[in-house]
């Protein structure tokens, strides 16, 4: 399920409290786990953000839940289905959700609290296009292009050569552009960077994209669904039709020859 995609749990024990670190992907969903067996149902159960700012997420008691405005419609609890599960599901997570959260409840009259640290990652598709030919007849000058798309705008494409970062210099020129999505688009920011270089050698520059303040997940964006669909629509049917004709022609010849023999057997005197 997409809900739990990209969720990683690492248990870190500190004193009497335990902290679970969870990593979610921006604009995806993430589960903040909390087990509350033997919870006192007559006392309030609560989720809140502790850091960087103290903020209520929700409180719950006797089948009545109260959500803060920021999390209303984005937070879901599972207590109505399972009284021992105090986990909360956050949907459509944003950069503002990054922080440390507290799950608190009472076990009989004893106050219990558990902490969850939420880290965030930004996901991008990235594709590098190598130069097909030289620029203006200059065999020593090459232009590389890198295209990326993602939902987090605060990011930048970076170029490296043999693991070393490339910047503008007398032999290298780098440009960056960002296209902001409009209301009718998919909501993706599109990043483009071009690297023009006169560097010699067999090594090829490589591009990557880094989100600022967040970890970054990248995937190959060179093979798009559109290209695959175009191949399927244009190439595969032609091959199928060709094979179909090759199979049909011999069958028709056999049927025709059989009809001729039958007609001669019926008409000609024996």
């Amino acid at each position: 399920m997409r809900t739990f995609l990209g969720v990683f749990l690492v248990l870190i024990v500190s004193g009497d409290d335990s902290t679970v670190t969870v990593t979610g992907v921006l604009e995806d969903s993430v589960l903040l786990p909390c087990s509350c067996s033997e919870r006192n149902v007559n006392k309030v159960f609560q989720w809140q953000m502790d850091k960087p700012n103290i903020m209520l997420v929700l409180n719950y008691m006797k089948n009545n839940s109260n959500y803060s405005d920021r999390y209303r419609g984005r937070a879901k609890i599972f207590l109505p289905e399972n009284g021992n599960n105090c986990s909360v599901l956050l949907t459509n997570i944003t950069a503002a959700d990054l922080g440390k959260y507290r799950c608190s409840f009472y076990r009989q009259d004893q106050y219990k609290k558990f902490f969850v640290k939420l880290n965030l990652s930004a996901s991008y598709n990235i594709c590098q296009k190598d130069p097909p030919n030289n620029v203006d007849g200059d065999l020593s000058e090459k232009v590389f292009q890198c295209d990326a798309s993602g939902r987090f705008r605060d990011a930048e494409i970076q170029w490296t050569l043999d693991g070393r970062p490339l910047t503008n210099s007398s032999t290298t020129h780098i440009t960056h552009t960002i296209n902001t999505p409009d209301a009718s688009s998919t909501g993706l920011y599109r990043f483009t960077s071009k690297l023009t270089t006169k560097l010699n050698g067999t090594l090829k520059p490589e591009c990557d994209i880094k989100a600022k303040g967040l970890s970054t997940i990248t995937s190959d964006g060179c093979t798009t669904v559109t290209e695959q669909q175009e191949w399927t629509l244009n190439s595969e049917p032609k091959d199928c039709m060709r094979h179909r004709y090759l199979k049909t022609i011999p069958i028709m010849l056999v049927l025709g020859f059989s009809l001729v023999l039958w007609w001669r057997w019926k008409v000609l005197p024996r």
Side-chain angles (χ1 to χ4, degrees):
M1 291 178 62
R2 183 176 182 271
T3 298
F4 302 104
L5 183 63
V7 177
F8 308 95
L9 302 182
V10 180
L11 183 63
I12 304 172
V13 179
S14 175
D16 294 330
D17 298 328
S18 62
T19 299
V20 174
T21 299
V22 178
T23 300
V25 180
L26 283 175
E27 297 201 6
D28 210 325
S29 301
V30 66
L31 182 73
L32 306 185
C34 181
S35 177
C36 54
S37 59
E38 301 179 3
R39 178 180 62 90
N40 187 339
V41 297
N42 295 314
K43 290 184 178 290
V44 67
F45 147 69
Q46 181 172 288
W47 271 100
Q48 71 177 50
M49 176 186 278
D50 271 5
K51 294 180 181 180
N53 302 303
I54 296 177
M55 180 179 299
L56 175 71
V57 177
L58 66 96
N59 54 43
Y60 179 92
M61 187 172 67
K62 295 183 178 180
N63 295 325
N64 292 318
S65 55
N66 177 44
Y67 295 86
S68 67
D69 292 339
R70 176 169 161 180
Y71 293 95
R72 184 175 292 111
R74 295 199 305 121
K76 177 186 176 182
I77 55 175
F78 305 93
L79 281 175
E81 297 85 11
N82 184 349
N84 296 326
N85 185 2
C86 286
S87 304
V88 62
L89 179 70
L90 299 182
T91 61
N92 194 27
I93 52 179
T94 69
D97 294 327
L98 179 71
K100 185 175 181 180
Y101 292 79
R102 177 195 302 205
C103 168
S104 60
F105 59 91
Y106 284 86
R107 184 170 291 154
Q108 296 181 356
D109 291 327
Q110 186 179 7
Y111 179 75
K112 294 290 183 179
K113 58 183 177 181
F114 297 94
F115 296 96
V116 178
K117 182 181 179 183
L118 176 58
N119 293 331
L120 296 179
S121 296
S123 178
Y124 299 90
N125 289 326
I126 189 166
C127 179
Q128 178 173 329
K129 300 175 184 177
D130 296 336
N133 294 304
N134 60 77
V135 179
D136 298 330
D138 187 351
L139 295 175
S140 63
E141 189 173 48
K142 298 178 180 179
V143 177
F144 297 84
Q145 180 170 322
C146 188
D147 297 304
S149 60
R151 298 186 182 277
F152 186 56
R153 188 187 188 282
D154 201 4
E156 186 176 76
I157 293 175
Q158 300 176 349
W159 292 92
T160 58
L161 182 66
D162 195 24
R164 298 188 300 272
L166 291 173
T167 57
N168 284 318
S169 64
S170 58
T171 58
T172 303
H173 180 66
I174 301 174
T175 60
H176 298 279
T177 58
I178 302 176
N179 293 324
T180 303
D182 54 40
S184 61
S185 71
T186 58
L188 295 174
Y189 292 96
R190 302 192 180 276
F191 305 79
T192 299
S193 179
K194 290 185 178 181
L195 181 149
T196 305
T197 181
K198 294 184 178 181
L199 294 173
N200 296 320
T202 58
L203 293 177
K204 182 180 70 174
E206 296 181 350
C207 70
D208 198 1
I209 187 168
K210 296 294 183 184
K212 297 180 180 178
L214 303 177
S215 60
T216 307
I217 300 174
T218 58
S219 56
D220 182 15
C222 291
T223 304
T224 63
V225 176
T226 302
E227 290 172 347
Q228 294 174 344
Q229 290 175 341
E230 184 177 352
W231 183 87
T232 302
L233 292 173
N234 296 334
S235 301
E236 194 171 50
K238 293 179 182 178
D239 294 337
C240 292
M241 292 297 292
R242 188 181 298 113
H243 290 301
R244 187 179 301 172
Y245 290 144
L246 292 175
K247 291 180 180 179
T248 303
I249 291 173
I251 295 173
M252 295 300 295
L253 289 174
V254 171
L255 289 175
F257 185 70
S258 300
L259 286 173
V260 170
L261 291 177
W262 178 82
W263 180 82
R264 293 187 64 182
W265 179 80
K266 293 289 290 184
V267 173
L268 295 179
R270 288 171 288 179

